[in-house]
Amino acid sequence: MMTIAIAVLLLAAQVPRDTPSPAVENARRERELRATAAAGAATKETYLELARLANLGDRFDDAIAALRAAAALEPESAEAQHLIGSTSWDYARRDSGVDPARRLRYVREGLAAEDRALALKPDY
């Protein structure tokens, strides 16, 4: 009887734990990144990853906000402004239930970001 109990314990110890689903892992990572940003230690890469995770969750406003925060860390970067512009345009043209007023807001924000990029680098 003792050997059966030991064998059961050994088998239980060898059973791999379930890995979290991508959604759970993304939510955990997003909490970490937001804590880093709240602590004032965020880098451009922190905000770009936050934007990526928000994009995966179809949270467009959060993605654009994260891209704006990344661009604020590099105010002389035309590329950062262009990323906001191209992402805004991508969101504006999606057919994923985005209402017309929101689409117009994305278009306007994208155009403003592209204007900022051109002001920083006229031949961009």
Side-chain angles (χ1 to χ4, degrees):
M1 178 107 154
M2 182 64 96
T3 58
I4 293 175
I6 292 172
V8 168
L9 287 174
L10 289 174
L11 285 174
Q14 293 175 358
V15 174
R17 294 184 178 254
D18 291 337
T19 57
S21 70
V24 169
E25 184 58 30
N26 288 345
R28 182 200 59 76
R29 181 67 179 143
E30 187 171 348
R31 282 191 305 275
E32 288 175 357
L33 294 168
R34 288 194 183 282
T36 299
T43 64
K44 174 183 149 188
E45 288 74 23
T46 303
Y47 289 116
L48 292 177
E49 189 172 354
L50 274 170
R52 182 186 67 79
L53 292 170
N55 188 42
L56 287 173
D58 288 335
R59 295 186 335 269
F60 306 143
D61 292 334
D62 291 344
I64 295 295
L67 291 175
R68 272 193 240 114
L73 294 176
E74 294 184 339
E76 300 301 315
S77 172
E79 290 81 12
Q81 296 300 323
H82 175 66
L83 183 57
I84 295 169
S86 61
T87 303
S88 295
W89 169 247
D90 184 45
Y91 292 160
R93 64 186 184 91
R94 287 190 182 184
D95 286 333
S96 60
V98 178
D99 65 270
R102 199 163 158 201
R103 284 182 180 200
L104 180 59
R105 185 170 46 97
Y106 289 139
V107 168
R108 287 181 175 156
E109 181 160 5
L111 288 172
E114 294 296 351
D115 285 344
R116 289 189 300 271
L118 289 171
L120 291 167
K121 192 174 179 182
D123 61 341
Y124 191 69

